[in-house]
Short mmCIF file of all heavy atoms in Angstrom, two decimals:
data_model
loop_
_atom_site.label_atom_id
_atom_site.label_comp_id
_atom_site.label_asym_id
_atom_site.label_seq_id
_atom_site.Cartn_x
_atom_site.Cartn_y
_atom_site.Cartn_z
N TRP V 17 1.78 54.86 46.67
CA TRP V 17 2.33 53.53 46.47
C TRP V 17 1.23 52.51 46.29
O TRP V 17 0.21 52.52 47.01
CB TRP V 17 3.16 53.13 47.69
CG TRP V 17 4.36 53.99 47.90
CD1 TRP V 17 4.43 55.13 48.66
CD2 TRP V 17 5.66 53.80 47.35
NE1 TRP V 17 5.70 55.65 48.61
CE2 TRP V 17 6.48 54.85 47.81
CE3 TRP V 17 6.23 52.85 46.52
CZ2 TRP V 17 7.82 54.97 47.46
CZ3 TRP V 17 7.57 52.95 46.17
CH2 TRP V 17 8.34 54.00 46.64
N TYR V 18 1.45 51.63 45.34
CA TYR V 18 0.67 50.43 45.17
C TYR V 18 1.64 49.26 45.27
O TYR V 18 2.86 49.44 45.20
CB TYR V 18 -0.03 50.41 43.80
CG TYR V 18 -1.32 51.20 43.74
CD1 TYR V 18 -1.32 52.57 43.90
CD2 TYR V 18 -2.53 50.55 43.51
CE1 TYR V 18 -2.51 53.30 43.84
CE2 TYR V 18 -3.72 51.26 43.44
CZ TYR V 18 -3.69 52.63 43.61
OH TYR V 18 -4.88 53.35 43.54
N ARG V 19 1.11 48.08 45.40
CA ARG V 19 1.96 46.88 45.40
C ARG V 19 1.26 45.74 44.69
O ARG V 19 0.04 45.70 44.60
CB ARG V 19 2.34 46.47 46.82
CG ARG V 19 1.18 45.97 47.66
CD ARG V 19 1.64 45.71 49.09
NE ARG V 19 0.54 45.23 49.94
CZ ARG V 19 0.64 45.06 51.25
NH1 ARG V 19 1.77 45.34 51.89
NH2 ARG V 19 -0.40 44.60 51.94
N GLN V 20 2.08 44.83 44.18
CA GLN V 20 1.54 43.66 43.50
C GLN V 20 2.34 42.44 43.90
O GLN V 20 3.55 42.37 43.65
CB GLN V 20 1.57 43.85 41.99
CG GLN V 20 0.87 42.74 41.23
CD GLN V 20 0.61 43.12 39.78
OE1 GLN V 20 1.25 44.02 39.24
NE2 GLN V 20 -0.31 42.42 39.14
N ALA V 21 1.66 41.51 44.53
CA ALA V 21 2.26 40.23 44.91
C ALA V 21 2.06 39.24 43.77
O ALA V 21 1.15 39.39 42.95
CB ALA V 21 1.63 39.72 46.19
N PRO V 22 2.90 38.20 43.70
CA PRO V 22 2.76 37.20 42.63
C PRO V 22 1.36 36.61 42.60
O PRO V 22 0.83 36.18 43.62
CB PRO V 22 3.80 36.16 43.00
CG PRO V 22 4.81 36.90 43.79
CD PRO V 22 4.05 37.93 44.56
N GLY V 23 0.77 36.61 41.42
CA GLY V 23 -0.55 36.02 41.25
C GLY V 23 -1.70 36.86 41.75
O GLY V 23 -2.85 36.41 41.75
N LYS V 24 -1.42 38.08 42.19
CA LYS V 24 -2.47 38.94 42.73
C LYS V 24 -2.54 40.24 41.94
O LYS V 24 -1.61 40.61 41.24
CB LYS V 24 -2.21 39.23 44.21
CG LYS V 24 -2.29 38.01 45.09
CD LYS V 24 -2.22 38.40 46.56
CE LYS V 24 -2.38 37.19 47.47
NZ LYS V 24 -2.34 37.56 48.91
N GLN V 25 -3.66 40.92 42.11
CA GLN V 25 -3.84 42.21 41.45
C GLN V 25 -3.07 43.29 42.20
O GLN V 25 -2.80 43.17 43.40
CB GLN V 25 -5.33 42.56 41.39
CG GLN V 25 -6.12 41.71 40.42
CD GLN V 25 -7.53 42.25 40.21
OE1 GLN V 25 -8.10 42.87 41.11
NE2 GLN V 25 -8.09 42.02 39.04
N ARG V 26 -2.75 44.34 41.48
CA ARG V 26 -2.10 45.49 42.11
C ARG V 26 -3.09 46.13 43.09
O ARG V 26 -4.27 46.31 42.75
CB ARG V 26 -1.66 46.49 41.06
CG ARG V 26 -0.76 47.60 41.57
CD ARG V 26 -0.24 48.47 40.45
NE ARG V 26 0.62 47.75 39.52
CZ ARG V 26 1.37 48.36 38.61
NH1 ARG V 26 1.36 49.68 38.50
NH2 ARG V 26 2.12 47.63 37.80
N GLU V 27 -2.61 46.48 44.27
CA GLU V 27 -3.49 47.06 45.29
C GLU V 27 -2.87 48.32 45.88
O GLU V 27 -1.64 48.46 45.95
CB GLU V 27 -3.75 46.06 46.42
CG GLU V 27 -2.52 45.62 47.18
CD GLU V 27 -2.84 44.70 48.35
OE1 GLU V 27 -4.01 44.31 48.53
OE2 GLU V 27 -1.90 44.38 49.11
N LEU V 28 -3.75 49.20 46.30
CA LEU V 28 -3.31 50.44 46.92
C LEU V 28 -2.64 50.15 48.25
O LEU V 28 -3.09 49.30 49.02
CB LEU V 28 -4.50 51.36 47.13
CG LEU V 28 -4.23 52.71 47.81
CD1 LEU V 28 -5.14 53.78 47.21
CD2 LEU V 28 -4.46 52.62 49.31
N VAL V 29 -1.54 50.88 48.53
CA VAL V 29 -0.89 50.80 49.84
C VAL V 29 -1.11 52.10 50.60
O VAL V 29 -1.67 52.11 51.70
CB VAL V 29 0.62 50.54 49.68
CG1 VAL V 29 1.30 50.53 51.05
CG2 VAL V 29 0.87 49.22 48.95
N ALA V 30 -0.70 53.21 50.00
CA ALA V 30 -0.84 54.50 50.66
C ALA V 30 -0.70 55.60 49.63
O ALA V 30 0.03 55.46 48.66
CB ALA V 30 0.20 54.68 51.76
N THR V 31 -1.42 56.69 49.88
CA THR V 31 -1.33 57.85 49.01
C THR V 31 -1.23 59.12 49.85
O THR V 31 -1.65 59.14 51.02
CB THR V 31 -2.54 57.96 48.08
OG1 THR V 31 -3.72 58.16 48.88
CG2 THR V 31 -2.73 56.71 47.24
N ILE V 32 -0.72 60.16 49.23
CA ILE V 32 -0.65 61.46 49.89
C ILE V 32 -0.86 62.55 48.85
O ILE V 32 -0.28 62.50 47.76
CB ILE V 32 0.69 61.64 50.65
CG1 ILE V 32 0.68 62.95 51.45
CG2 ILE V 32 1.88 61.56 49.71
CD1 ILE V 32 1.84 63.01 52.47
N THR V 33 -1.71 63.51 49.17
CA THR V 33 -1.95 64.62 48.25
C THR V 33 -0.94 65.73 48.50
O THR V 33 -0.22 65.74 49.50
CB THR V 33 -3.37 65.16 48.42
OG1 THR V 33 -3.48 65.78 49.70
CG2 THR V 33 -4.40 64.06 48.27
N SER V 34 -0.94 66.69 47.62
CA SER V 34 0.01 67.80 47.73
C SER V 34 -0.25 68.67 48.96
O SER V 34 0.63 69.40 49.41
CB SER V 34 -0.02 68.67 46.47
OG SER V 34 -1.33 69.14 46.23
N ASN V 35 -1.48 68.58 49.52
CA ASN V 35 -1.74 69.32 50.75
C ASN V 35 -1.72 68.41 51.97
O ASN V 35 -2.21 68.78 53.04
CB ASN V 35 -3.06 70.10 50.67
CG ASN V 35 -4.22 69.23 50.28
OD1 ASN V 35 -4.10 68.02 50.26
ND2 ASN V 35 -5.33 69.85 49.97
N GLY V 36 -1.16 67.23 51.82
CA GLY V 36 -0.86 66.39 52.98
C GLY V 36 -1.92 65.41 53.42
O GLY V 36 -1.77 64.76 54.46
N VAL V 37 -2.98 65.26 52.66
CA VAL V 37 -4.01 64.31 53.02
C VAL V 37 -3.54 62.90 52.66
O VAL V 37 -3.13 62.65 51.52
CB VAL V 37 -5.33 64.63 52.31
CG1 VAL V 37 -6.38 63.57 52.62
CG2 VAL V 37 -5.83 66.01 52.71
N THR V 38 -3.61 62.01 53.61
CA THR V 38 -3.12 60.64 53.41
C THR V 38 -4.26 59.63 53.40
O THR V 38 -5.33 59.86 53.96
CB THR V 38 -2.12 60.25 54.50
OG1 THR V 38 -2.75 60.35 55.78
CG2 THR V 38 -0.90 61.15 54.46
N ASN V 39 -3.98 58.50 52.76
CA ASN V 39 -4.94 57.41 52.72
C ASN V 39 -4.14 56.12 52.75
O ASN V 39 -3.11 56.00 52.08
CB ASN V 39 -5.79 57.48 51.44
CG ASN V 39 -6.85 56.41 51.40
OD1 ASN V 39 -7.50 56.13 52.40
ND2 ASN V 39 -7.03 55.80 50.24
N TYR V 40 -4.62 55.15 53.54
CA TYR V 40 -3.89 53.89 53.70
C TYR V 40 -4.82 52.70 53.47
O TYR V 40 -6.00 52.75 53.80
CB TYR V 40 -3.33 53.76 55.11
CG TYR V 40 -2.25 54.75 55.46
CD1 TYR V 40 -2.56 55.96 56.06
CD2 TYR V 40 -0.92 54.47 55.20
CE1 TYR V 40 -1.57 56.87 56.40
CE2 TYR V 40 0.08 55.36 55.54
CZ TYR V 40 -0.25 56.56 56.13
OH TYR V 40 0.74 57.46 56.46
N ALA V 41 -4.25 51.63 52.98
CA ALA V 41 -4.97 50.37 52.96
C ALA V 41 -5.13 49.90 54.40
O ALA V 41 -4.25 50.12 55.25
CB ALA V 41 -4.20 49.34 52.16
N GLU V 42 -6.24 49.22 54.68
CA GLU V 42 -6.48 48.75 56.03
C GLU V 42 -5.37 47.82 56.51
O GLU V 42 -5.00 47.83 57.68
CB GLU V 42 -7.82 48.01 56.09
CG GLU V 42 -9.04 48.91 56.06
CD GLU V 42 -9.14 49.83 57.27
OE1 GLU V 42 -8.74 49.39 58.38
OE2 GLU V 42 -9.59 50.97 57.12
N SER V 43 -4.81 47.05 55.60
CA SER V 43 -3.81 46.06 55.96
C SER V 43 -2.48 46.66 56.42
O SER V 43 -1.67 45.96 57.03
CB SER V 43 -3.55 45.13 54.77
OG SER V 43 -3.08 45.88 53.65
#
């Protein structure tokens, strides 16, 4: 997932690989 707020660039929210490795934005 990414997200984009009005007037801002698209930013990463969270990702998951097929083997379950996750990554999150600090926020």
Side-chain angles (χ1 to χ4, degrees):
W17 296 91
Y18 278 65
R19 67 186 180 187
Q20 187 166 20
K24 295 188 177 181
Q25 289 190 330
R26 190 174 296 192
E27 62 176 5
L28 178 145
V29 177
T31 63
I32 186 167
T33 67
S34 56
N35 53 11
V37 176
T38 58
N39 183 42
Y40 293 92
E42 285 296 325
S43 60

